[in-house]
Amino acid sequence: MAPPPPRAALLLLLLLLPHNAAAGGAGTAAPSPAVVNPFTAKAAFIRYWNRKVPNNRPHPAFFVAKLSPLPAADTASFPSALPDIRARLPALCSRAGLLCAAPAAGADAASLAKAAGPFKGYSNANFSNYGTGGDQGADSFRNYSPDLNIAADSFRRYGRDSSGRADRFESYEADGNVVTANFTSYAGGATGGSGSFAAYAAGTNVPDSTFTNYDAQANGRARGFASYSQEANHGESGFSGYGKSGNGVRETFASYGSESNVLASAFANYGQSANGATDTFTGYGVEGNVPENTFRTYGAGGNAGVDTFKRYRDDANVGDDRFSSYAKGANGGAAEFQSYGNSANPGSTTFKGYGEGTNPNHHIGFKQYAGENNTFKGYASTGVDFKEYHNTSASTLTVLAEAEASMRHQHLKWSSEPGKFFRERELVAGNRMPMPDIRDKMPPRAFLPRDIAARIPFEPSAVSEVFGVPLDTAMGKAVASTVAECQRAPSRGETKRCATSAEDIVDFAVEMLGSDVVVRSTASAAGSGGDIRLGAVTGVDGGRVTRSVSCHQSLFPYLVYYCHSVPKVRVYEADIAAADGAGEKINRGVAICHLDTSDWSPAHGAFAALGGRPGEVEVCHWIFEGDMTWTVAD
């Protein structure tokens, strides 16, 4: 018979058991997980949890699954200097569950020139000098970099000085997460030919596309952006020197950024000094949420350029456009704004130096232009025609906006994806309601052990160095955005903390709520995007008004959560069944109702979806997969 294990080992294993199992408590949660190897970072955290939260509650599986899988030895031997960490990290990326950038695949022009196209199934490729000086021919990029966590594609001097060459980007970087595309000197000096972007970056999360000197000095080329960044989330696109000094270049933006969320586009020196350029923006930013567009020296110094904005920012929520030195010094330029700014919730537009210059030979027309917060500074005194322009008083516009929003909000995807926001009275057994898309769309990652996370300075340049993430890529910008949001001063009544480790989350929850706490999250994404029927609905703490700590994932190479203490809420748990099913439970949802919305922005999508204003109505929403809320235990 083998000798019994040492007493110390038995005590260690006992500590690792969920408290209800160790104490013989009844417990109503799922069966206890298997015993964790005591010599891992995961086991060390569980021991930490048991000390900080000694209430004999089981450790929730969704949280435990996020813990670091590293052995304790890796933590103990981890270096402190950034260069040493950078050297150590590649071997740990997959074992530690981190999001590390994969090296971009090179694609030399000589080998690619032998390919006939189309390019199918390419990912993370670098095209340099491809098709330079070539005649005729066509390239097609299909299913390019689809469904990737991190995509980085580069096209440098693609098709430069070519003649009659056509290229098509179809389903490019679709459904990706943190995708970066750089088009530098693409088709520069080319003659004839055409290009199109169809279904570009559709459904992506934090896309970042840069077009620098694209079609610059080109002659007679046509380019179309159709369904560009459709339903994208955050992100930005930069068009710098696009079509600069070109001749007869035609650009069409159709369905650009439609139904997107907080998408920013910057057009700098677009069409500058061009001859006969024609640009058409149709359906740009339609039904978008807070689109931001900057046009700086757009078409400046150009000759006989024509720009048309039609159905621009229609049915959008707020938004902000800035036109600086637009068509300044241009000759014979024409710009027509048709049905511009017809947003459901008015945004703001600033025109500065619009059409200014010594040459008065231009025409700028505003037809059916509506909105408030529009500022015109230093625009040309002649050649500007305001026809059917509506910029009503603030009081009148408020009434109009409210009436318009009440008629439209149910149709706007950005503000009222079915079930995204709802009223507290809807949380009753038997109620049929839509469930929004609550799937966790963040890339899979794990926490770093606190000892390792503490050695990586929480600032963009250090993270960039350690993880090999250039700051000018989508991921690099996401890192900078996360750090900036974490450093932002809290809102009135808010207590916030960014947790870079699982220990940090527990510490903050205990600090805000005491040691007798529990953490909840919606069990799965089942029912997401369809109609559901509620089963039993239970109010946490008897349905009384309480305080919670909500934690939301941030985009970072390892798990970072933005946690904030939320006062005056009620938290509910509800059984969820398919609306048209047999009534069988498919999910267990957690919902939180914010009872005090007085400090929320009037432009918040919840008010467009539900009606009302800040402080007038409570707003409820589900806790999405991957997020969590802490409360005092029942």
Side-chain angles (χ1 to χ4, degrees), residues 63 66 97-99 440 442-449 453-454 456-459 463 467 475 478-479 481-487 496-505 550-563 626-628:
F63 197 101
K66 301 176 186 297
L98 308 180
L99 185 63
D440 181 3
M442 288 287 192
R445 294 148 299 153
F447 283 112
L448 276 178
I456 304 174
F458 193 69
E459 58 95 14
V463 174
F467 289 93
M475 188 63 197
V479 166
S481 177
T482 293
V483 172
E485 177 64 11
C486 290
Q487 294 174 343
K496 60 188 279 283
R497 181 174 301 169
C498 277
T500 60
S501 68
E503 291 89 343
D504 287 348
I505 291 184
S550 289
C551 296
H552 312 280
Q553 283 190 78
S554 297
L555 195 50
F556 221 68
Y558 53 93
L559 272 182
V560 170
Y561 273 83
Y562 176 93
C563 296
D627 291 346
M628 66 189 82

Side-chain angles (χ1 to χ4, degrees), residues 3 9 69 111 160-161 219 243 259 358 386 419 442 468 544 580 598 605 629:
S111 61
R160 188 175 183 178
D161 297 324
N219 182 41
E259 302 177 17
T358 57
F386 292 87
M442 288 287 192
R544 287 184 286 270
D580 300 323
S598 56
T629 188

Side-chain angles (χ1 to χ4, degrees), residues 413-429:
K413 185 163 186 174
W414 53 260
S415 64
S416 60
E417 178 189 2
K420 184 173 183 179
F421 303 107
F422 50 90
R423 301 292 299 274
E424 192 172 17
R425 59 175 176 260
E426 297 181 59
L427 287 169
V428 293

Side-chain angles (χ1 to χ4, degrees), residues 233 261 289 413-422 433-438 604-606 609-610 619-622 624:
N233 182 42
N261 181 43
N289 182 36
K413 185 163 186 174
W414 53 260
S415 64
S416 60
E417 178 189 2
K420 184 173 183 179
F421 303 107
F422 50 90
M433 63 188 298
M435 169 74 85
D437 185 359
I438 65 168
H604 196 289
L610 305 176
V619 174
C620 303
H621 62 85
W622 296 104
F624 280 28

Side-chain angles (χ1 to χ4, degrees), residues 31 86 95 99 116 154 208 239 252 289 332 403 448 498 540 622 630:
R86 175 76 184 110
R95 286 201 297 127
L99 185 63
S154 175
D208 183 78
F239 296 84
T252 303
N289 182 36
L448 276 178
C498 277
V540 172
W622 296 104
W630 294 76

